[in-house]
Amino acid sequence: MLSEIKHRGRPRKYDDPKEAQRVANQRYRARHRQQVNYLNDRNKTKQFILKEATKEDLILVD
């Protein structure tokens, strides 16, 4: 269905929107490595606290 649509202007670089998003994500991660690492670490910490942490672990964090 996407191939049937006529586009005006310059041609698309990627025919598949998922491929375009994947490439954009890779480019963002490469350019913002420190921010991506921070967000990954924050998410891992939150999941640990919510799912696996004991009272002793929470006391250490506090």
Side-chain angles (χ1 to χ4, degrees):
M1 188 164 193
L2 286 175
S3 61
E4 297 172 6
I5 299 172
K6 298 283 183 179
H7 296 286
R8 296 181 187 192
R10 72 173 204 201
R12 291 185 174 186
K13 189 171 184 179
Y14 301 100
D15 290 331
D16 183 19
K18 289 182 180 181
E19 177 68 13
Q21 186 64 55
R22 185 184 67 77
V23 171
N25 287 342
Q26 284 179 336
R27 208 173 327 142
Y28 179 86
R29 288 183 189 120
R31 292 179 182 171
H32 301 93
R33 186 172 302 269
Q34 187 175 7
Q35 178 69 10
V36 170
N37 286 341
Y38 167 77
L39 293 174
N40 286 339
D41 289 344
R42 185 177 72 175
N43 188 48
K44 284 186 244 179
T45 303
K46 180 180 176 182
Q47 291 305 314
F48 173 77
I49 290 172
L50 292 176
K51 293 183 178 183
E52 299 179 24
T54 63
K55 287 186 177 185
E56 291 81 22
D57 294 331
L58 296 176
I59 291 170
L60 287 173
V61 173
D62 191 29

